[in-house]
Amino acid sequence: MAVEKKVAAYICQGCGLGERLDTDALVDVVKKEGKIQQVKPHPFLCSSEGVAMIQNDIDNDGVSHIMIGACSRRAKTDAFNFPSVAMSRANLREGVIWIRPDTEEARETTQEMAEDYLRMGCAEIKAMRQPEGNPNTGTSKTLLVVGGGITGMTAALEAAKTGYPVVLVEKSGQLGGWAAKLHMRVPSHEPYKAPVDNGVAGMVSAIEADPNIKVYLNATLAKTSGAPGRFQAEIATESGSTATEDVGAIVQATGFELYDANKLPELGYGASPNVVDQGGLEQLAREAAERGGPILRPSDGQPVKSVVFVQCAGQRDASGTHLAYCSGHCCNTSIKQAMYFKDANADIDTTVLYTDLRTPGNGEDFYRSAQEKGVIFTKGKVASVVPAGNTCKVNFHDLILDDQNASIENADLVVLATGQVPNSGVNIDFKAVEGEEAAAEVEKKTISILNLDYRQGKDVPQLKYGFTDSHFICFPYETRRTGIYTAGPVRRPMDIAQAKEDATGATLKAIQALENAAIGSAAHPRSGDLSYPSVRLEGCTQCKRCTVECPFGAIDEDEKRYPMFNESRCRRCGTCMGACPVRVISFENYSVDTVGSQIKAVSIPDEFSEKPRILVLACENDAYPAMDMAAMNRTETSSFVRVVPVRCLGSVNTIWITDALNSGYDGVMLMGCKHGDEYQCHFVKGSELANYRMSKIDDTLKGFNLETDRVQTYEVAITDIDRVPKLINDFEKRMFEIGMSPFKGF
């Protein structure tokens, strides 16, 4: 049974609002123009008395929709938390009085801003419905961890500690991954003086003893289907049978492989058995420990008396031939391996050739310890390694002495630091491959890890260099597949200590995702949002733009080729809404109408008043917070701007632009996140898609006989606290130069 809509408005007078604004006039605007009759001003709306007043109206007066005129929607969220009703907020504090001077000359325009924001708030709330939550929820609280190395074992143990069941799938016959192959590991605690035990045996024992962790060895994922809270993992076991597990979220911790040293013949690999990579040296060290003797030269089994470590072997390569990035752990690993020799025999000549020595964390203490033990560190770039019988000659450019013909003779062993290559699977959209035979051939050669049933590919998307798509600043662990998180070297290069920390973070994110899925709520960054998209099928033209542009694979097609939403996969960004040319996609509390109504609610001065109106559509994740922080600094900003926060710039439908221009706005600014390889868009592709759409707006402007400068798109970071007001103020100046819109008054 539908609840009768009853709207009420509340206007705060605290934080200087009552002193700077004419509250009686604001109440009149809400009643007469906003057409909301129940309007209550309050001296301090976020106080316990103010909140109680609102709650009483909800409980006893049947109020179902509320509009709050107070501070930014990002402020006082705990106080203004009324989950049973629809709510809009008009930003009168950060959006008006904090960005305008407290002078008599500014009083009129400041009041005009406040009145417009209240008109917008009234229009928005009337177009909203209270989300009831996604009914298609998932109830599984089990976590699937793919990969049984240090990262995967840490994820499993951390989840089990919090009481969540875990299914751990490892492709090999034992847990431990690369860490199990290490003779010893770099220390992660004081005193950072010497290599320590790899710690694998203790973790394996803890997993075997934990009843909350179910382990599959010699197993792979044959298929992963479903959505957060209701994933179904089909696990291919060693026996040839398939086990099916229902899981709520997934952590991919599939680790890395060392870069193939066979691609470095100039460094002697393959030409001499005495040239090994870091993994090869770990094997030699383990064999020596089992024998109880020194590390032996592979070519003839004689003890190593001289060893050279070559850093950045096939790494940090600007030419694009090898790895372009630094793998992070390699310097500390070489320091550790150099200590294998020095701790066994201080007389062994041990040299580390580096271009830059990078020792993250407390590696500096570890480095000093190696120096004290007699390890020689030389800054040089190796040109070649030339085998000479049972030894090698290492030719390098000494970067300190600028000697291009430096060399080290008679090295018994050369160790190449070749770096990490992620085990992230291969991403191919098989439907995009021309022809069924070609697609089948590509699929046959493709190694997939998760074997997802997404139309966009079988594995989580990769950003660059094969690492899974997860921006390290804004949203570590996130992938474009909701409820699936990555951790460890599959996400970015890292050492064991970093991988364990990474695993813990990814596990907590995964737990949050499965808990949100159970109540039909969105995942990060709109965690707690109960809205989800719906489509009016009778108006759909089956153009597939929503299906193709959704960054998260949340939209498929039914048998009639209409869009079919998988709400549990949806991040609620609204990119589909911005993509739809016929505007039939919407959310209960965010739609083409909720934003369009706000745009049309603004009072537009006539063309002779010399008071332009500038619409700013600002990303709620970066641009809008930057504006709020600029307001906290009391940075003066144009009084002619009207800001509408949007979930993502990708949700911006071009009808909003044309409606604004038709209504007499003089200009439109779109402020979204940085896009490209180093993107900061919380919804991955939204800002990029918006930028592409807006690149075509010039034709619309020319059709209106308007200057193209009237619509501009900007990349804005959350740290652009000083830049955002300047962009707005400069845009205002440009509008005065161009002149007022000819559409005013129509």
Side-chain angles (χ1 to χ4, degrees), residues 607-638:
E607 61 181 311
F608 305 108
S609 66
E610 290 297 307
K611 289 182 178 180
R613 285 295 177 263
I614 299 166
L615 173 66
V616 176
L617 298 170
C619 164
E620 69 178 9
N621 293 301
D622 277 60
Y624 200 68
M627 290 181 185
D628 277 353
M629 288 186 281
M632 292 171 67
N633 291 340
R634 306 302 196 271
T635 305
E636 186 174 336
T637 309
S638 169

Side-chain angles (χ1 to χ4, degrees), residues 55-301:
Q55 191 64 57
N56 181 68
D57 288 350
I58 294 169
D59 295 338
N60 301 313
D61 202 19
V63 170
S64 63
H65 291 62
I66 61 175
M67 191 280 291
I68 294 176
C71 47
S72 168
R73 64 178 63 193
R74 300 178 62 254
K76 304 296 182 181
T77 53
D78 290 338
F80 299 134
N81 179 26
F82 306 103
S84 63
V85 299
M87 180 174 66
S88 70
R89 293 182 62 178
N91 187 355
L92 306 182
R93 189 179 71 174
E94 290 88 342
V96 181
I97 67 167
W98 280 6
I99 62 171
R100 299 303 303 150
D102 187 7
T103 61
E104 190 60 38
E105 305 86 66
R107 185 172 295 276
E108 179 184 351
T109 53
T110 301
Q111 182 73 16
E112 288 175 354
M113 287 185 79
E115 292 177 0
D116 267 345
Y117 278 123
L118 288 175
R119 293 184 185 100
M120 294 161 72
C122 293
E124 181 185 22
I125 192 60
K126 290 182 176 180
M128 289 171 63
R129 289 182 291 122
Q130 172 62 10
E132 297 177 358
N134 174 18
N136 194 15
T137 57
T139 57
S140 175
K141 298 297 179 70
T142 300
L143 182 66
L144 172 65
V145 178
V146 185
I150 283 284
T151 309
M153 291 193 295
T154 301
L157 288 168
E158 293 299 322
K161 284 178 188 176
T162 59
Y164 289 86
V166 178
V167 173
L168 177 58
V169 177
E170 166 56 37
K171 67 179 181 180
S172 70
Q174 65 178 20
L175 298 174
W178 261 107
K181 301 176 184 179
L182 301 181
H183 171 47
M184 302 184 86
R185 57 164 287 190
V186 174
S188 58
H189 52 77
E190 293 287 354
Y192 302 101
K193 293 292 185 183
V196 297
D197 182 79
N198 62 31
V200 169
M203 296 183 73
V204 172
S205 297
I207 286 174
E208 291 174 345
D210 197 318
N212 264 347
I213 303 176
K214 184 177 183 180
V215 179
Y216 287 90
L217 297 177
N218 293 310
T220 56
L221 290 177
K223 183 180 180 181
T224 307
S225 57
R230 50 190 173 87
F231 286 113
Q232 194 171 73
E234 297 178 18
I235 302 169
T237 64
E238 185 180 20
S239 64
S241 62
T242 300
T244 301
E245 297 282 355
D246 294 320
V247 299
I250 301 169
V251 173
Q252 180 180 341
T254 45
F256 70 98
E257 296 292 336
L258 289 178
Y259 183 67
D260 186 3
N262 286 302
K263 297 178 180 179
L264 303 168
E266 70 278 9
L267 298 184
Y269 195 87
S272 169
N274 298 326
V275 179
V276 298
D277 59 16
Q278 288 182 324
L281 179 56
E282 292 294 338
Q283 181 177 344
L284 294 176
R286 290 199 316 274
E287 292 171 354
E290 291 169 2
R291 276 195 322 271
I295 296 175
L296 302 179
R297 190 167 57 190
S299 62
D300 60 359

